[in-house]
Amino acid sequence: MTRVATAGNYQSALLNLMTAQSRAELAQERMGSEKIATDMAGYGRGAEQLTSLTSTQARLEGFIGAGESAAARLSAQDLAMGRIYEAGTGAREAIANGLAAGSITNLMTELGLHYQNVQGGLNAEHQGSYLFSGGRGDVAPATAKTMADLAAAPSTASTFANDSLKQKSRIDENTMVETGFLADEIGSPLTEVFRNMQAYQNGTPVIIDGVTYTPTGVGTLTGQPGAGVTAFLNAQMTQLDKANQGVTNQNAKNGLVQNHVESALEAHESQKIALDKMMLKKTGYDPAQAVTDLQMAQVAIQASAQVINSLRSTSLLDLLR
């Protein structure tokens, strides 16, 4: 037989009130977060699976971040290499036009401007670091600022300050791609041509493919070109063709890596969408259901409160009289 007592009635009513308040608070949290719970403890047995999904999600976001960073770098490198190639082809056109016109009076001035563009491309920066410096991102790789500086250097190699460490990026669990290029690999052939042009202009003999071209003196590259100057310039155009092809090959390699990274990013984005849907299915809570739960909890709170209020004016002594 259940004992009936005022204290027992109060206790039962208070427990009902506290339970209703807890349900209301939980419903409000679900309305705000649109999730079943705000921590793993609230998911019970499903917490272990959710922890695994969360870990996978974090790794995936890390790969997406690395891929986006690599893609931005590759895009910047594409622009820089395009600038170098344009300068190389511009130099060849300047020589060809001078020979066709029979006058190379302004040739060295034009070549000086084209070299500035080559150096600008080789010293291109991305996010505060030099693109083609290897592991020395704070050091400009192309050190010769003018063609005169090139000619004064002991060798073409001495005008490059980059090291041999190429940038690499991990774009997924099993794939590490080489996304970096080095200034000397891209620009050495072109720089050699500009250096030889300035040396010849300074009156220094130049050797190209085993053939020595000797100028008649300082300032030979001006006015109407003679047979010796014409032969030298034709040899230089051949070297420019090879150098420009080399830049094109490097740019094509950059493009292949860029396509690979973009494909990996697309795959990661698709996987992330699928994973987000799975997480939402397991953790999400219908807002409409949360509103219904809240309304029901509020009704229960009101009912419990009314019961408690009634108990305040009720005594079992009244029933025993």
Side-chain angles (χ1 to χ4, degrees):
M1 179 177 179
T2 305
R3 182 180 179 184
V4 178
T6 300
N9 289 338
Y10 266 111
Q11 184 178 16
S12 177
L14 285 172
L15 286 174
N16 289 337
L17 178 60
M18 293 173 65
T19 300
Q21 288 175 333
S22 296
R23 286 165 50 196
E25 183 180 353
L26 179 60
Q28 287 177 333
E29 289 179 353
R30 287 173 172 175
M31 286 179 61
S33 65
E34 296 186 3
K35 294 183 181 297
I36 295 174
T38 56
D39 54 37
M40 288 300 174
Y43 292 100
R45 295 179 179 179
E48 184 176 353
Q49 186 178 10
L50 288 175
T51 300
S52 177
L53 288 174
T54 302
S55 177
T56 302
Q57 198 172 42
R59 290 200 308 273
L60 191 60
E61 289 175 353
F63 289 135
I64 290 175
E68 289 174 344
S69 178
R73 178 187 180 88
L74 289 164
S75 179
Q77 288 176 171
D78 179 71
L79 293 174
M81 290 183 192
R83 182 181 180 184
I84 295 169
Y85 176 78
E86 289 178 2
T89 54
R92 191 199 186 284
E93 289 176 5
I95 295 174
N97 292 338
L99 290 175
S103 175
I104 56 172
T105 299
N106 298 318
L107 178 59
M108 291 304 294
T109 300
E110 290 185 58
L111 292 179
L113 295 174
H114 289 306
Y115 174 71
Q116 292 296 319
N117 287 329
V118 170
Q119 195 212 24
L122 292 173
N123 287 341
E125 297 181 58
H126 175 64
Q127 295 182 347
S129 297
Y130 291 100
L131 282 170
F132 305 122
S133 286
R136 307 180 66 188
D138 59 336
V139 177
T143 61
K145 296 181 179 180
T146 65
M147 291 177 62
D149 294 336
L150 282 177
S155 65
T156 299
S158 68
T159 65
F160 290 96
N162 61 275
D163 59 19
S164 59
L165 183 63
K166 295 183 180 181
Q167 180 81 20
K168 294 182 179 181
S169 301
R170 183 178 294 280
I171 58 174
D172 60 37
E173 293 284 1
N174 303 310
T175 306
M176 179 81 76
V177 294
E178 191 175 87
T179 56
F181 293 79
L182 303 178
D184 56 352
E185 292 182 350
I186 300 170
S188 283
L190 266 179
T191 303
E192 179 73 12
V193 173
F194 285 103
R195 183 171 182 272
N196 285 340
M197 292 294 297
Q198 187 62 56
Y200 193 86
Q201 177 72 341
N202 292 348
T204 303
V206 174
I207 301 175
I208 302 175
D209 289 337
V211 179
T212 301
Y213 297 88
T214 304
T216 56
V218 177
T220 302
L221 296 177
T222 188
Q224 185 175 356
V229 170
T230 299
F232 170 71
L233 293 178
N234 282 325
Q236 287 288 72
M237 283 196 294
T238 301
Q239 296 303 308
L240 280 170
D241 289 336
K242 294 178 182 178
N244 290 331
Q245 184 60 50
V247 175
T248 299
N249 292 340
Q250 294 281 6
N251 204 356
K253 182 180 177 181
N254 184 82
L256 290 174
V257 177
Q258 195 170 12
N259 291 337
H260 186 60
V261 170
E262 289 176 355
S263 296
L265 272 176
E266 290 177 1
H268 290 328
E269 291 291 351
S270 298
Q271 187 178 355
K272 184 178 184 297
I273 292 173
L275 190 61
D276 289 344
K277 288 182 179 179
M278 186 181 299
M279 289 286 291
L280 181 61
K281 184 177 180 180
K282 292 186 176 298
T283 65
Y285 200 80
D286 185 6
Q289 183 62 47
V291 171
T292 301
D293 292 344
L294 179 59
Q295 291 174 343
M296 292 178 64
Q298 289 173 340
V299 170
I301 290 173
Q302 292 173 357
S304 298
Q306 288 176 356
V307 170
I308 292 173
N309 188 52
S310 297
L311 287 174
R312 292 176 59 188
S313 59
T314 302
S315 172
L316 288 177
L317 293 176
D318 296 334
L319 299 176
L320 296 174
R321 289 174 184 174

